């Protein structure tokens, strides 16, 4: 069995004390493919180091996270463009809109999101979307930017069935993580109405640990708890779910 974690911040300083052990635990649990979303330029060095340390397992994205869209966002977008011109990345992410932490930056968040969608099209890369309290705003941008060559993942999907269908209509797969294991998470109520070809698994480590680790530091090995829950919801073996979601991740990231 091969399990793919499509969204994990393994370079986070939350793992500085035991990164090697944490990676070994994941690989021991058959979690061997890790897709690493960017946040902003302050993490670039740590991401490149992570890749140098685990070259057979990690795949880097580049991008500017919506909560890092501040006054200097144009310089940050230049950094993303620089990176793209220098070497291979597997996606532009995470990008999007977050109105939970700061509503005052909505306009520049939208601008940064659109700009990065266009970069993704230019480089023929998938996007990885971060959406918090901002479904309408995200869909509004996707509506204006949608095209055959725009595709990717709606990371940490927490919407309802209608929003799930809408996200899929924009060529997005749904990133399912710890929230599916939460008692009042909501998505467990309808997830099995969504065809598995639209689903990928993720942890968003070190955030959003699944039950029974809820509230603790998350790590990629805990994706097995997400896999267990998704397998239960669809009535299919964990091996089958791992196989389908890994195939889906290959279709998106081309690796
Ligand atoms: Zn993330």
């Amino acid at each position: 069995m091969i399990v793919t974690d499509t969204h994990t911040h393994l370079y986070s300083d939350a793992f500085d004390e035991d990164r090697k052990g944490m990676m070994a635990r994941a690989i021991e649990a058959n979690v061997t493919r890790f897709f690493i979303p960017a946040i902003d330029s302050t993490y670039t060095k740590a991401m490149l180091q992570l890749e140098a340390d685990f070259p057979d397992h990690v795949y880097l994205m580049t991008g500017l996270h919506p909560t890092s869209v501040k006054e200097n966002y144009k310089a940050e977008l230049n950094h993303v463009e620089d990176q793209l011109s220098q070497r291979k990345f597997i996606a532009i992410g995470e990008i999007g809109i977050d109105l939970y932490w700061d509503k005052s930056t909505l306009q520049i968040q939208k601008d940064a999101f659109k700009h990065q969608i266009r970069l993704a099209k230019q480089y023929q890369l998938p996007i990885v979307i971060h959406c918090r309290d901002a479904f309408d705003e995200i869909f509004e941008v996707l509506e204006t930017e949608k095209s055959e060559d725009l595709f990717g993942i709606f990371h940490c999907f927490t919407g309802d069935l209608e929003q799930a269908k809408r996200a899929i209509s924009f060529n997005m797969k749904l990133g399912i993580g710890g929230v599916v294991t939460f008692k009042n998470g909501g998505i467990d109520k309808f997830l099995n109405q969504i065809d598995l070809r639209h689903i990928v698994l993720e942890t968003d480590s070190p955030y959003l640990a699944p039950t029974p680790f809820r509230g603790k530091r998350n790590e990629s090995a805990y994706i097995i708890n997400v896999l267990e829950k998704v397998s239960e919801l669809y009535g299919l073996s964990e091996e089958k779910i791992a196989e389908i979601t890994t195939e889906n991740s290959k279709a998106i990231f081309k690796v």
Side-chain angles (χ1 to χ4, degrees):
M1 177 169 88
I2 294 173
V3 186
T4 302
D5 190 347
T6 58
H7 195 110
T8 180
H9 299 269
L10 299 176
Y11 54 88
S12 163
D13 55 16
F15 301 117
D16 281 355
E17 301 300 311
D18 65 340
R19 187 168 285 102
K20 269 211 174 114
M22 178 270 298
M23 289 294 279
R25 281 193 290 280
I27 291 166
E28 177 67 32
N30 297 314
V31 189
T32 53
R33 291 160 42 83
F34 307 92
F35 292 85
I36 315 294
I39 294 174
D40 61 38
S41 64
T42 65
Y43 294 94
T44 301
K45 209 175 137 213
M47 291 177 74
L48 294 172
Q49 187 59 51
L50 177 79
E51 182 188 55
D53 292 343
F54 305 98
D56 299 332
H57 297 286
V58 311
Y59 303 95
L60 301 187
M61 308 178 200
T62 184
L64 179 62
H65 191 291
T67 59
S68 288
V69 175
K70 310 249 157 77
E71 306 72 40
N72 70 337
Y73 81 104
K74 295 237 154 121
E76 284 287 339
L77 291 176
N78 282 337
H79 176 71
V80 172
E81 287 186 39
D82 266 4
Q83 297 249 98
L84 283 168
S85 68
Q86 281 168 27
R87 50 156 287 170
K88 171 91 185 124
F89 288 90
I90 42 86
I92 311 273
E94 51 193 296
I95 62 175
I97 301 177
D98 188 315
L99 296 178
Y100 177 80
W101 293 107
D102 191 354
K103 288 186 179 61
S104 73
T105 54
L106 174 60
Q107 276 321 312
I108 56 175
Q109 286 194 51
K110 269 190 185 170
D111 188 39
F113 186 31
K114 278 187 195 174
H115 185 84
Q116 294 182 95
I117 287 175
R118 286 168 197 171
L119 285 176
K121 288 178 185 169
Q122 184 189 332
Y123 284 88
Q124 295 173 304
L125 291 173
I127 58 171
V128 171
I129 299 177
H130 169 106
C131 169
R132 192 156 183 204
D133 290 355
F135 272 108
D136 291 344
E137 291 80 2
I138 296 260
F139 286 144
E140 186 193 313
V141 172
L142 290 177
E143 194 59 55
T144 62
E145 299 298 322
K146 69 179 174 194
S147 71
E148 295 239 312
D149 56 349
L150 180 63
F151 65 106
I153 296 174
F154 221 98
H155 137 68
C156 189
F157 183 82
T158 51
D160 59 24
L161 180 60
E162 280 319 301
Q163 288 163 329
K165 288 180 177 162
R166 189 125 191 250
I168 290 165
S169 78
F170 292 116
N171 298 328
M172 297 297 147
K173 302 213 186 290
L174 309 181
I176 302 301
V179 175
V180 77
T181 69
F182 295 173
K183 260 208 161 55
N184 45 11
I187 49 173
D188 56 320
K189 305 289 185 294
F190 64 82
L191 192 63
N192 64 7
Q193 297 176 48
I194 303 284
D195 194 301
L196 268 172
R197 70 176 193 272
H198 302 301
I199 304 292
V200 291
L201 304 183
E202 63 169 60
T203 55
D204 202 14
S205 305
Y207 314 107
L208 288 170
T211 310
F213 308 106
R214 192 171 180 178
K216 305 227 166 66
R217 184 189 74 170
N218 198 4
E219 57 179 74
S220 282
Y222 299 168
I223 201 169
I224 298 302
N225 298 80
V226 175
L227 176 65
E228 231 173 65
K229 182 70 188 187
V230 171
S231 141
E232 182 191 312
L233 290 173
Y234 282 92
L236 290 169
S237 69
E238 290 175 24
E239 286 75 14
K240 192 74 197 162
I241 301 286
E243 182 191 322
I244 295 171
T245 52
T246 288
E247 283 310 312
N248 294 343
S249 75
K250 289 180 180 171
I252 295 174
F253 294 122
K254 314 284 191 290
V255 63

